[in-house]
Amino acid sequence: MAKLTPDEQQAILDLIDAGHTRNDIARRTHRSPGTITNIARANDRTFDRTETETATRARQVDLAARRAELAAQLVGDAARLRAQLWEPCVERKAMAVAQGGNLGSVVEVVEVHHPRPPFADQQRIMTCVGIAVDKVLAIDRHDNQADEGLAAVDRWLREMIGEAVG
């Protein structure tokens, strides 16, 4: 693109002084944002960042709300998973059944009823519960770095393991 004339540079400076954003000025003048930034710096100008700061704060609030909702869902997921540790379950197994003689065998699905999940399944459930709890704690640490800490999560954990909340 052609070099800026003094009149074009002044027009850009006037737009900066009027409070327009860098990208808005770039669109209006058909120049790159980098060119606008360079002109501003060369002339000791800065851009009004109020709109950007406001939008950033609003986005941070929205993301915090989404993290809180996710944490609540993870707590519910962990509770439902943990409850499965002690619930009856049905395991479906494929078994080859001989039909006798030269007829060979067929595969049938057999249901095995358990009073609670087998140990290996309980381990997997607890691993999933642990991951969910870890993620809730990580969200809490992220959102409450300077706050009281993990009190709410501690209360929830006590309730999960059946201890009285004090």
Side-chain angles (χ1 to χ4, degrees):
M1 187 162 263
K3 197 170 187 179
L4 287 171
T5 66
D7 287 341
E8 290 173 313
Q9 282 191 17
Q10 188 56 52
I12 290 170
L13 292 171
D14 291 344
L15 289 170
I16 293 169
D17 293 340
H20 292 273
T21 65
R22 180 192 67 165
N23 290 342
D24 179 48
I25 297 169
R27 278 189 295 275
R28 288 172 179 246
T29 61
H30 306 288
R31 299 292 178 163
S32 73
T35 298
I36 306 305
T37 298
N38 292 337
I39 292 170
R41 282 187 190 143
N43 291 278
D44 296 323
R45 301 291 208 293
T46 58
F47 295 99
D48 179 12
R49 308 279 300 165
T50 305
E51 285 182 32
T52 303
E53 291 167 357
T54 301
T56 299
R57 277 193 299 279
R59 176 134 172 88
Q60 288 170 339
V61 168
D62 290 345
L63 290 174
R66 290 176 69 186
R67 284 190 303 274
E69 176 64 25
L70 177 60
Q73 290 171 350
L74 284 170
V75 167
D77 294 343
R80 284 187 296 279
L81 280 169
R82 188 176 178 287
Q84 290 179 18
L85 289 172
W86 315 112
E87 295 294 321
C89 68
V90 176
E91 181 181 10
R92 289 173 181 80
K93 291 184 174 185
M95 299 190 67
V97 177
Q99 293 193 346
N102 294 334
L103 296 176
S105 61
V106 294
V107 175
E108 290 185 11
V109 175
V110 177
E111 290 187 350
V112 179
H113 294 265
H114 299 284
R116 63 178 172 265
F119 181 73
D121 290 342
Q122 286 182 319
Q123 281 183 308
R124 286 189 282 275
I125 291 169
M126 286 305 296
T127 298
C128 292
V129 169
I131 290 169
V133 169
D134 284 345
K135 297 309 173 190
V136 169
L137 293 172
I139 290 169
D140 190 64
R141 275 191 304 275
H142 176 79
D143 287 344
N144 298 307
Q145 290 172 356
D147 289 350
E148 69 181 65
L150 307 176
V153 175
D154 289 339
R155 282 192 301 275
W156 171 77
L157 286 173
R158 284 189 203 119
E159 290 171 11
M160 288 289 291
I161 60 174
E163 291 181 12
V165 179

